[in-house]
Amino acid sequence: MNAAPQPQPGIMEIDLYQGGASQVAGQTDILKLSSNENPYGAPRSAREAAREAVSSMHLYPETDHAGLRAAIAQVHGIDPDRVICGVGSDEVIHMLCQAYVGPGDEVLHTEHGFLMYAISARAAGGTPVRVPERNRRVDVDALLAAVTSRTRLVFLANPANPTGTMIEAAEVARLADGVPDGCLLVLDGAYAEYVPEFDGGLSLSQARDGVFVTRTFSKMYGLGGLRVGWGHGAKSVIDVLNRVRGPFNLSNVALAAAEAAMRDRDFVARCLAENTRQRARLRQGLDDLGIASDPSEANFVLARMATAEEAADCDAFLQSRGVILRRVGGYGFPEGLRMTVGDEAGVTRLLEGLSAWREG
């Protein structure tokens, strides 16, 4: 019998990505706060557009995503020819690594950065380099010090996941100034919509060919199940990425729903206002219970228990009440519990569960 082929170097070093749990044995009334999903669902406009698009599911979708790119460009005031769409921002990240990273190349990411950075780097044959943060915040000086002649990509999530912290625009610009030619700074803005009056780095990516921005429809727009994301950068970079992108990577349904969601600015404004209000409630409740957390600029809060054992005990207690949080030991926080900001009822239920655990 012939032996199976061996995978490319680096593939077997990839730790499997584990998504947030959605079920608990024996529980039927589940409050899922493990995946940073929008508790208000998708906008009605997107659901209606998706229903209409179902009738064309026998047809191949458009390959250039022209309608969606036009909507993104109109809302954000950017050139649609500098926009690329992917199966979530994950695919855009993967395409960047596939196009620009190979054996011997390095990909920088922060200490607690999104796990897909390292996964995509290894899948391309590159070496991920983990750069320390300072008090759960990105350290620009440490990132710049870690850049070498082998560095091809530098990933920065702002706001960051799982901490929810962010650095100011001047620090991001300083990082962009310090990244050398031949290296691309990638600003991951998965949670940018949760920061008022924040462009997620789009002004930088418009002005500098060495800066690229990624965004997603999975958070604010409530389309996690359809998997849609996008990126913005120099036309030369977009041209490269389109050469490795699958021609039919997004379905008719996904394209229609995403375009409608992008244009529904009233929905975005309502979700931003509610998230801001409920996030403040959640952080105040944690503080009242003596549970540490940093100010978050996203749609989640990272609670830090005293020990990993205490975090495990709290997690188990909440699961017994049907409340699912996200353990983030894989991100370097064994004592951490990341909790999505729910709606008013969801935040109340979570805080009641935490209070009962404290009293137990």
Side-chain angles (χ1 to χ4, degrees), residues 2-341:
N2 293 334
Q6 294 299 304
Q8 291 289 334
I11 298 297
M12 297 311 295
E13 297 178 45
I14 296 173
D15 294 325
L16 294 178
Y17 183 89
Q18 300 292 326
S22 58
Q23 297 180 346
V24 177
Q27 296 291 328
T28 56
D29 182 15
I30 296 294
L31 175 61
K32 183 187 177 189
L33 302 175
S34 58
S35 296
N36 301 338
E37 295 151 329
N38 190 328
Y40 308 102
R44 178 179 297 177
S45 57
R47 297 197 301 270
E48 291 174 351
R51 278 193 292 268
E52 291 179 11
V54 165
S55 63
S56 64
M57 67 167 57
H58 61 296
L59 302 175
Y60 281 108
E62 60 184 15
T63 62
D64 62 1
H65 310 149
L68 178 55
R69 289 190 298 107
I72 292 169
Q74 182 180 13
V75 167
H76 292 285
I78 54 180
D79 182 354
D81 290 337
R82 295 180 60 177
V83 174
I84 189 169
C85 300
V87 183
S89 56
D90 293 5
E91 187 188 29
V92 180
I93 290 167
H94 191 79
M95 287 190 288
L96 286 164
C97 289
Q98 183 182 3
Y100 291 106
V101 178
D105 294 333
E106 295 178 346
V107 174
L108 268 58
H109 63 88
T110 57
E111 181 179 3
H112 306 296
F114 185 35
L115 297 178
M116 288 307 301
Y117 306 150
I119 289 174
S120 295
R122 292 191 188 280
T127 302
V129 177
R130 188 167 174 258
V131 180
E133 297 180 7
R134 181 180 299 174
N135 296 323
R136 300 167 301 283
R137 292 176 61 86
V138 169
D139 186 335
V140 169
D141 290 322
L143 277 171
L144 291 174
V147 173
T148 72
S149 61
R150 297 184 297 276
T151 306
R152 296 293 173 263
L153 300 174
V154 177
F155 283 105
L156 170 66
N158 200 39
N161 174 26
T163 61
T165 60
M166 67 181 294
I167 58 174
E168 56 271 20
E171 282 293 274
V172 178
R174 186 165 72 87
L175 177 60
D177 287 338
V179 171
D181 291 342
C183 177
L184 193 64
L185 172 62
V186 182
L187 303 178
D188 181 351
Y191 300 95
E193 286 86 0
Y194 291 99
V195 185
E197 306 301 323
F198 178 55
D199 75 351
L202 285 172
S203 56
L204 272 180
S205 63
Q206 288 185 86
R208 309 184 190 211
D209 288 352
V211 177
F212 192 91
V213 165
T214 64
R215 302 287 276 271
T216 184
F217 283 87
S218 297
K219 308 304 179 185
M220 177 66 83
Y221 297 100
L223 301 183
L226 287 183
R227 313 304 304 125
V228 188
W230 59 279
H232 175 270
K235 287 184 180 180
S236 59
V237 176
I238 298 298
D239 177 64
V240 169
L241 298 185
N242 273 322
R243 293 171 188 272
V244 299
R245 176 180 63 84
F248 304 111
N249 59 329
L250 291 176
S251 71
N252 290 323
V253 174
L255 288 168
E259 181 178 346
M262 175 57 64
R263 295 188 184 280
D264 196 335
R265 307 318 295 172
D266 288 341
F267 175 82
V268 172
R270 290 196 302 272
C271 289
L272 173 60
E274 277 304 294
N275 182 79
T276 301
R277 187 168 70 90
Q278 297 304 331
R279 186 178 62 202
R281 279 188 66 214
L282 177 54
R283 286 207 69 234
Q284 183 61 57
L286 291 173
D287 188 59
D288 292 343
L289 291 169
I291 299 173
S293 70
D294 293 315
S296 171
E297 304 297 338
N299 69 334
F300 60 84
V301 173
L302 177 64
R304 304 191 316 279
M305 304 301 177
T307 64
E309 291 74 21
E310 188 177 68
D313 182 70
C314 179
D315 185 40
F317 179 86
L318 290 174
Q319 286 193 37
S320 73
R321 298 168 67 104
V323 179
I324 307 176
L325 306 183
R326 180 71 178 268
R327 299 289 303 279
V328 285
Y331 283 96
F333 292 110
E335 77 287 5
L337 289 173
R338 193 190 68 190
M339 46 193 67
T340 305
V341 176

